């Protein structure tokens, strides 16, 4: 670890030529052309082109649409920087002049920012390679949004095909007045599981419900009863969130369908709580279907889950110190673990430390106009990630590049390549 003040000073020096306008042009282009998980072909090509232009050895098509760029620059540690690329199936409602041109799809989570930060950080570090020594690996990850992109990259051999990391860094745009860089040592993000439920019934004519077993009614009881899991089966000192995000059944008003489908999401921080919640879900679904007289048992499928994201405390403290020197003591604080989830940690091989922090991005005017006098009140009243109104302030473009550059230099700086 190089002295934080030295890293901050070097970061300022080598990023002094960053042009806000150039960053905005790239960011707005990505925002206009969002792509869903595993379809990020255009986004990946744009990132790959920037990396090649900066001198990286680039591999495309990792886990279908992932991009990996490698810059070997003498002896030293291997540092991985990761940015995710996919957008969300959310119709944009920001009214921005550079709003999405793809119907029903937008960068509602800030991954367009992430790609911009990643590309620019890679270029800055490549241009300043005479100031550091080691190997830099830049990872453009597909499909972070509940599609398993990190696991797919691991399955595609990302740890074997490319230099194994000594450290992994990542960051995320977040709501909150622009200009802060929250760091949390230890647990920072919760585990996440998706569950698919199929409730079977007996279909028929809407005028003769007595001849059917209505899966819509049964599934409605399931949804209602699931609301008691967290409130009645999870201890007050524990934390869990259970969301029913999708309910699909039927085709028209006078037909009772033969099945109903639910999509659930569970967030937990403790394996014991996770197992209790998943067990309760199965019991409730099976019990309600039995009570309704379903002709066959329901299907309850637990899909891939994301583990807890647990920052290495020492590493997080070091990077937080660098960011304090870079942006000011007051800009870095710990707001504790959240119920959000990420697959970022899967890119770190066992035993490899990682650090994941945030860049707050709410425009000052939006923040000031939000109802509430206290920070948490305002935080709850500004558009957050996954909102159709999520519109980060472009002023965070340059700082977001510097956070990544400084993190990389904290391990790579220490003299020119040998």
């Amino acid at each position: 670890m190089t002295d934080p003040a030295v890293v901050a000073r070097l970061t300022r020096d080598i990023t002094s030529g960053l042009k806000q306008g150039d960053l905005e042009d790239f960011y707005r282009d990505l925002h206009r052309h969002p792509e869903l998980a595993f379809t990020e072909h255009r986004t990946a090509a744009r990132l790959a082109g920037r990396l090649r232009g900066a001198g990286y050895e680039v591999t495309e098509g990792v886990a279908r649409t992932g991009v990996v760029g490698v810059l070997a620059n003498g002896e030293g540690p291997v540092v991985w920087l990761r940015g995710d690329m996919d957008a969300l199936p959310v119709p944009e409602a920001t009214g921005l002049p550079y709003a999405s041109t793809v119907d029903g799809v937008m960068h509602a989570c800030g991954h367009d920012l992430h790609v911009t930060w990643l590309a620019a950080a890679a270029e800055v570090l490549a241009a300043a390679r005479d100031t550091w020594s080691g190997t830099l690996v830049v990872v453009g990850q597909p499909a972070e949004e509940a599609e398993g992109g990190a696991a797919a990259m691991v399955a595609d051999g990302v740890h074997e095909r490319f230099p194994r990391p000594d450290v992994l860094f990542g960051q995320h745009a977040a709501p909150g007045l622009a200009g802060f860089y929250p760091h949390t040592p230890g647990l920072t993000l919760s585990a996440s599981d998706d569950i698919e439920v199929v409730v079977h019934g007996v279909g028929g004519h809407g005028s003769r419900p007595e001849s059917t077993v209505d899966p819509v009614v049964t599934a409605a009881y399931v949804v209602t009863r699931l609301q008691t899991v967290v409130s009645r089966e999870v201890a007050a000192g524990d934390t869990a969130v259970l969301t029913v995000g999708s309910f699909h059944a039927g085709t028209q008003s006078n037909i009772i369908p033969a099945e109903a489908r639910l999509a659930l999401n569970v967030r937990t921080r403790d394996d014991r709580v996770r197992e209790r919640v998943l067990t309760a879900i199965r019991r409730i679904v099976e019990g309600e279907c039995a009570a309704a007289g379903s002709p066959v048992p329901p299907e309850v499928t637990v899909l891939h889950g994301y583990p807890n994201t647990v920052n290495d405390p020492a590493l997080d403290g070091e990077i937080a110190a660098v960011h304090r020197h870079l942006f000011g003591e007051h800009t870095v604080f710990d707001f504790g673990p959240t119920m959000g989830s990420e697959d970022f940690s899967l890119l770190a091989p066992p035993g490899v430390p990682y650090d994941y922090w945030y860049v707050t991005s709410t425009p000052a005017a939006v923040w000031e106009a939000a109802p509430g006098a206290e920070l948490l009140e305002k935080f709850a009243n500004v558009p957050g990630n996954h909102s159709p109104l999520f519109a980060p302030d472009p002023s965070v473009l340059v700082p977001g590049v510097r956070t990544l550059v400084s993190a990389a230099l904290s391990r790579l700086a220490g003299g020119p390549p040998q």
Side-chain angles (χ1 to χ4, degrees), residues 309-378:
T309 302
V310 184
N311 285 330
D312 181 271
L315 179 63
D316 183 74
E318 293 171 2
I319 304 306
V322 170
H323 291 165
R324 288 190 181 97
H325 278 277
L326 190 57
F327 301 110
E329 188 72 26
H330 70 287
T331 66
V332 177
F333 61 94
D334 176 6
F335 61 31
T338 75
M339 295 308 294
S341 301
E342 253 271 18
D343 62 355
F344 163 79
S345 65
L346 295 176
L347 289 174
V352 171
Y354 59 80
D355 194 29
Y356 182 91
W357 62 88
Y358 303 91
V359 178
T360 58
S361 60
T362 303
V366 174
W367 182 262
E368 292 302 324
E374 302 296 327
L375 185 147
L376 289 179
E377 290 178 300
K378 283 189 171 292

Side-chain angles (χ1 to χ4, degrees), residues 150-227:
M153 294 192 88
V154 173
D156 199 19
V158 72
H159 292 150
E160 294 77 35
R161 296 166 59 187
F162 305 99
R164 180 184 173 88
D166 293 306
V167 67
L168 168 68
F169 293 120
Q171 62 185 13
H172 206 297
L177 178 63
F180 294 89
Y181 311 91
H183 276 261
T184 298
L187 177 67
T188 185
L189 289 167
S190 302
S192 173
D193 291 287
D194 290 331
I195 300 98
E196 289 183 351
V197 174
V198 182
V199 174
H200 297 285
V202 176
H205 201 288
S207 68
R208 298 182 61 237
E210 73 281 2
S211 67
T212 72
V213 176
D214 192 338
V216 177
V217 174
T218 305
Y221 274 112
V222 168
V223 172
T224 301
R225 185 63 181 268
L226 286 175
Q227 307 311 306

